[in-house]
Every structure is written in structure tokens, then in C-alpha cells.
Amino acid sequence: MPMQPWSPYGGGSPMLASTADRERAVDVLRAGYAEGRLGKTEFEQRVTRAYAARTQAELSGLVADLPQGPVSAPPAVPFYGPPAVRGSYGAAPVFRPAPYPGTTNGKATAAMVLGILTVMTAGLTSIPAVALGHQARSEIRASGQQGDGCAIAGLVLGWIWIAGWSVYWLVALTAAVN
């Protein structure tokens, strides 16, 4: 019988089992139950017998028909070819890389930068920020790119400065007329 990973003396040893040996055997049984190798009643019976076992030989007999430890799997290697035909003999599984979250729309970034620059340019960049923000939002809706928050930030900052300058010129014009 091959050596059991949880038994330091190999399977079938008449050595008395420790609590840790029993727990390791129950862990193997839990893994077998989780993988569908054991039914519920059989799992419960084996767990009861594992906790009642006195020797490592008894524990070894309870887990002899189960794999010890996690089932090994080949490393996932990305494959960029067409997917293998399901059911074909010897076809390797296809592991595609995780999808890239997408790119941020450049006009959205520019709108946000221009919106921030309106503070330093006294509103000079507010109109381009608003124009780029609207263009970016329409492109984002059409293409699904990232950057909607940047476009909205550029729009808000641009419109705030346009409204501020409009109020300023309205007050200045009203003061000049009176």
C-alpha cells in the first residue's frame, strides 16, 4: 500500500492514531464528499468510524479508495488559437486570458484635465472641456470604453465656469447700463 500523506508511518501501521491523524483522515473524507466521491450517509458513517479509530491502520482503510490531497491539474497556459472541439480525443483544454477591462476614452481624460485647468486659466479651457466631455460620453456609450466619470467631471467643471462667467458678464453689463 502506498504511503499516505497524513500518516508518517505509511498505511496499515499498528501505531496508535493521534487526534491530528484522525482530523487529517476526516479532511480527506470531506474532500471526497465535496468532490462527489462519497454519498452523504457513507460520508457520515466514515467520519464516525474515523473519530472512533484507534490505529492508523483503521484510518488508512477508511480513506484507501480516495485520492489523498488535492487532485493535481496541469498549469493553465494561455492558448490564443481556436477552441478545441468538445469531445475530441486528446484535445487540450483552452485557457483564454482574462479579458482586459478596456481602455479609457482619451477625450474623457482630456475633458477632465481641461476642466481642472479652468481654475488656472480663468475659464479659458471651459468650452473645450464641455465639448470634449459631450463627445467622450457619446463615444463611451457607443463603444463601451471606460472613462465616463472623467467625462462627467470635465462637463461639470466646464459648465460651472461657463455659468460663472455668464453671471459675471450679466452683472457687469447690468452695472454698466445703470
Side-chain angles (χ1 to χ4, degrees), residues 10-126:
S13 173
M15 173 91 52
L16 291 176
S18 68
T19 304
D21 291 334
R22 289 183 193 93
E23 289 299 325
R24 282 189 286 269
V26 170
D27 286 342
V28 172
L29 292 170
R30 282 188 189 122
Y33 177 65
E35 294 171 355
R37 298 176 191 275
L38 296 174
K40 184 175 181 177
T41 56
E42 183 181 6
F43 166 71
E44 291 170 351
Q45 290 170 353
R46 287 191 189 198
V47 168
T48 304
R49 287 176 47 201
Y51 283 125
R54 290 200 26 89
T55 64
Q56 289 182 355
E58 294 172 29
L59 292 175
S60 178
L62 291 174
V63 297
D65 59 340
L66 296 173
Q68 309 295 308
V71 178
S72 63
V77 178
F79 177 74
Y80 297 100
V85 178
R86 279 182 106 47
S88 62
Y89 180 74
V94 177
F95 297 101
R96 300 201 184 277
Y100 187 70
T103 58
T104 303
N105 187 292
K107 290 180 182 176
T109 305
M112 184 182 68
V113 169
L114 290 173
I116 293 170
L117 287 177
T118 57
V119 177
M120 292 163 260
T121 62
L124 199 59
T125 59
S126 60

Side-chain angles (χ1 to χ4, degrees), residues 130-153:
V130 169
L132 285 173
H134 283 295
Q135 289 175 356
R137 296 233 23 222
S138 67
E139 288 178 8
I140 288 169
R141 280 192 294 268
S143 68
Q145 287 180 310
Q146 304 289 320
D148 195 46
C150 294
I152 290 173

